[in-house]
Amino acid sequence: IRNFVTKDYVKVKSSVDGIELQSQKTFDTEKQAKEYAEKLNASESVVVNVDNHSSTVAPGKLYSLSKLQGVLGKKHKMTPKVSLEVVQSLYEKGYVTYPRTNTEYLAKAEKDKVSKVLEKLPQQDLDVKASEKIFDDGKIESHSAITPTINLPSDTNLSELEKKVYDTIMARFLAVFCNEKCIVDKTEISIDVGGVETIKIKGQVIKQKGWTKYDEYTTKDKTLPDLKKGDVVKTDFKAEKDTTKAPDRYTTDSFYKYLKNPFRKDEIEDEEEEYKAIFSGVELGTEATRTGIIEGAIKSKYIDLKDNKFYLLDEGEAYVNYLTKLKLLLDKRKTADMGVVLKDVYKGKNSINQAIKYTYDEISALIDQSSKIYVQKSFGAKTISNQNGSVKKTEYKCPCCKSGDVLETRFGYICSNNENAKCGFSVPKKLAGHEFTDQEIKELMTKGEIFNIEGFVSRAGKEFSAGLYFKKDGTLTFDFHK
């Protein structure tokens, strides 16, 4: 956002009975745009196609915690911390089901429970059979979507915030189980403009309200002029200046979508892809921990949340920069990998001890990689002869650059030429669960490679053997052919 450079451009627009008609083309200069507008205005504009059809619009799904917090942030500017506290309070009072859920579905066995809730409600157009697609055991791990319970509160039993949250949950519940469909009449009109370009305009009108009586439907009615194929329409295209805008900041909703699936291929939500990511563990944080993580970053003054938009603060920028310089930035892939290992424990494919060991080894390797930078920045060349023993000069010459001395640190071995990034040689004392022996270290230092080391452990807890060698940049790398 900070580095975004705005760019002026010119678009070409007209209108038909108050409906905007805009060319798909944009231009760098006003002169180019005016010349194109003259081409469009040179001949008649004719309706070449009119498509009228009705379609059924489905309500939104029941709420997971993230989706609920996203809606409450957008609608009421409620922070994740506040919304979680309020929905937790409603749960403890018995008015809603368990809040920390990552699904928007109910179990098939819960149909009777839903029926009992519906029987208590005064609305007459509700039916549990009308929403079979909402019951899917395959999209539930432990807790179902958030719904009202049979304990219906009176307004006097709820605080102002509790009422806002409860009404949001109830509105979605009523919409999902409303047996009257929402039917929308949609129209698309194609207009051939001067034989130069075909421009389409779209509109829609709600024909039957259905579930929109209870829950918000964000798409507003847009009535198009009554045109038929062959009609000539009057247009007057003109050039209009505009400017490109920087990317939007994250909102609670968009940020939670990213955290739930940080490897989303595009901005289009793919439900199956999202649930696959959640159930495999490829997410950053969980429904139970995400609010606390964000609140921790806010308390540490790394980020701020104002009017449902996240802002990076100076302290947060410095924090990221320091971690980057020290190579201690745990990227989303590594973080997600740790989530996968934990999910495997949940699935019974892995033991908790294996998960702890994997995490320990990953973080140890990260610290080891960083230690050479820490030594360089904090102590510099003086460290070689310092008296506290934090870094010791060994008998070996660096096997990568051939000129530097190998230094032993608390975490492993680095090259004295590491200063100013002249050599990236680095060997941890422990790699993938295997602690190197003195003989193995000697072989690596003198030969620059080693064959058939046994006792490595993969993140899945399986032992494997491999050789090791140094890349040109000094990185120690597995070689499975040796």
Side-chain angles (χ1 to χ4, degrees):
I1 294 171
R2 179 194 296 157
N3 295 330
F4 183 82
V5 179
T6 58
K7 183 181 177 183
D8 294 330
Y9 68 97
V10 189
K11 51 193 177 184
V12 178
K13 293 171 62 176
S14 180
S15 64
V16 176
D17 293 345
I19 301 297
E20 184 180 279
L21 206 63
Q22 181 174 318
S23 169
Q24 296 175 35
K25 296 185 177 182
T26 59
F27 302 88
D28 294 329
T29 67
E30 193 171 4
K31 180 184 177 183
Q32 291 172 327
K34 284 181 177 179
E35 288 174 354
Y36 188 71
E38 289 173 4
K39 282 185 182 180
L40 295 177
N41 293 328
S43 301
E44 293 181 327
S45 296
V46 181
V47 176
V48 292
N49 190 53
V50 178
D51 178 22
N52 290 306
H53 66 278
S54 294
S55 65
T56 300
V57 179
K61 295 192 177 296
L62 295 171
Y63 287 120
S64 64
L65 177 61
S66 291
K67 291 293 175 70
L68 176 62
Q69 288 178 305
V71 169
L72 292 171
K74 184 177 181 180
K75 190 175 178 182
H76 299 297
K77 302 294 187 287
M78 212 176 285
T79 67
K81 179 177 182 290
V82 171
S83 59
L84 178 58
E85 288 173 351
V86 176
V87 73
Q88 179 69 24
S89 173
L90 290 170
Y91 166 67
E92 289 172 2
K93 291 178 180 179
Y95 298 139
V96 300
T97 56
Y98 185 76
R100 290 174 175 84
T101 174
N102 60 7
T103 187
E104 300 155 27
Y105 288 82
L106 300 175
K108 291 179 181 178
E110 293 179 287
K111 286 184 181 179
D112 288 342
K113 184 180 76 172
V114 171
S115 294
K116 289 175 182 177
V117 178
L118 296 177
E119 288 169 6
K120 281 209 161 194
L121 299 173
Q123 290 82 359
Q124 299 299 308
D125 58 350
L126 305 177
D127 185 358
V128 71
K129 294 179 182 178
S131 301
E132 287 291 326
K133 290 182 180 179
I134 208 68
F135 298 96
D136 189 341
D137 294 344
K139 288 189 171 69
I140 299 171
E141 281 189 320
S142 52
H143 298 286
S144 298
I146 303 171
T147 65
T149 67
I150 57 173
N151 301 316
L152 305 179
S154 63
D155 289 348
T156 56
N157 291 343
L158 301 177
S159 68
E160 184 180 346
L161 283 178
E162 284 176 333
K163 188 174 187 317
K164 286 179 179 178
V165 175
Y166 185 81
D167 287 350
T168 302
I169 295 170
M170 178 59 81
R172 182 56 56 87
F173 184 76
L174 294 172
V176 165
F177 293 105
C178 177
N179 60 21
E180 183 183 90
K181 295 178 179 179
C182 170
I183 299 175
V184 176
D185 284 342
K186 294 185 177 182
T187 304
E188 182 178 279
I189 300 175
S190 301
I191 301 172
D192 177 68
V193 183
V196 178
E197 183 180 351
T198 299
I199 300 175
K200 295 180 180 180
I201 52 176
K202 297 179 181 180
Q204 68 169 37
V205 177
I206 294 179
K207 184 179 180 181
Q208 180 174 288
K209 283 189 173 182
W211 58 265
T212 61
K213 292 180 290 185
Y214 302 119
D215 203 8
E216 289 184 359
Y217 179 46
T218 55
T219 307
K220 296 178 181 178
D221 282 359
K222 180 181 177 182
T223 305
L224 297 185
D226 185 18
L227 296 172
K228 298 177 181 62
K229 186 176 181 179
D231 285 352
V232 176
V233 295
K234 186 178 179 181
T235 57
D236 182 19
F237 283 91
K238 293 181 179 178
E240 183 179 302
K241 293 180 180 179
D242 208 338
T243 305
T244 56
K245 294 180 176 63
D248 292 331
R249 294 185 181 277
Y250 275 120
T251 63
T252 303
D253 187 42
S254 63
F255 192 42
Y256 271 43
K257 283 177 182 175
Y258 168 77
L259 294 174
K260 286 181 83 168
N261 185 0
F263 304 100
R264 192 190 304 274
K265 293 174 184 175
D266 50 47
E267 293 302 314
I268 301 170
E269 269 196 85
D270 184 325
E271 183 184 294
E272 294 302 322
E273 181 190 330
E274 182 170 293
Y275 275 91
K276 185 178 178 182
I278 293 170
F279 290 172
S280 67
V282 181
E283 54 180 337
L284 305 183
T286 66
E287 299 290 329
T289 64
R290 220 166 266 136
T291 300
I293 293 169
I294 291 172
E295 186 60 25
I298 291 173
K299 280 185 176 179
S300 299
K301 296 183 179 179
Y302 294 148
I303 62 172
D304 198 7
L305 179 59
K306 291 179 181 177
D307 294 329
N308 198 40
K309 289 184 178 180
F310 285 101
Y311 293 81
L312 178 68
L313 301 180
D314 290 344
E315 292 91 332
E317 184 173 356
Y319 182 52
V320 172
N321 286 339
Y322 291 145
L323 291 177
T324 303
K325 288 177 182 177
L326 289 170
K327 293 191 177 179
L328 279 172
L329 200 62
L330 197 66
D331 63 24
K332 66 180 182 180
R333 169 53 64 190
K334 286 285 186 186
T335 308
D337 283 348
M338 291 179 185
V340 171
V341 172
L342 277 177
K343 190 68 75 172
D344 284 346
V345 174
Y346 173 81
K347 294 175 181 176
K349 295 181 178 179
N350 217 342
S351 73
I352 189 67
N353 287 335
Q354 287 172 320
I356 292 171
K357 185 178 184 305
Y358 169 72
T359 306
Y360 177 88
D361 288 346
E362 285 292 331
I363 294 175
S364 295
L366 194 70
I367 293 170
D368 178 67
Q369 180 188 31
S370 175
S371 67
K372 59 184 179 183
I373 302 169
Y374 173 77
V375 167
Q376 171 198 324
K377 297 292 183 185
S378 301
F379 301 104
K382 292 180 182 178
T383 311
I384 297 174
S385 58
N386 70 1
Q387 299 299 313
N388 62 18
S390 60
V391 175
K392 295 184 294 183
K393 180 179 175 181
T394 71
E395 61 185 288
Y396 305 112
K397 281 290 181 184
C398 175
C400 295
C401 70
K402 311 296 184 186
S403 62
D405 295 310
V406 173
L407 308 180
E408 182 180 358
T409 75
R410 176 185 168 192
F411 305 103
Y413 302 87
I414 60 173
C415 177
S416 61
N417 281 336
N418 173 258
E419 194 168 3
N420 300 321
K422 289 180 181 176
C423 181
F425 166 83
S426 173
V427 177
K429 290 190 174 180
K430 190 175 183 180
L431 179 65
H434 176 78
E435 192 165 345
F436 290 115
T437 65
D438 291 342
Q439 181 58 38
E440 288 167 344
I441 290 296
K442 182 178 180 180
E443 197 166 339
L444 275 172
M445 301 304 174
T446 55
K447 297 180 180 178
E449 62 180 352
I450 194 168
F451 300 156
N452 195 30
I453 297 292
E454 297 183 350
F456 292 118
V457 181
S458 72
R459 74 182 186 194
K462 295 181 179 178
E463 287 199 9
F464 66 93
S465 301
L468 294 167
Y469 71 99
F470 293 102
K471 287 185 177 179
K472 289 182 180 179
D473 63 1
T475 306
L476 189 61
T477 306
F478 285 118
D479 186 339
F480 294 100
H481 300 289
K482 295 184 178 179

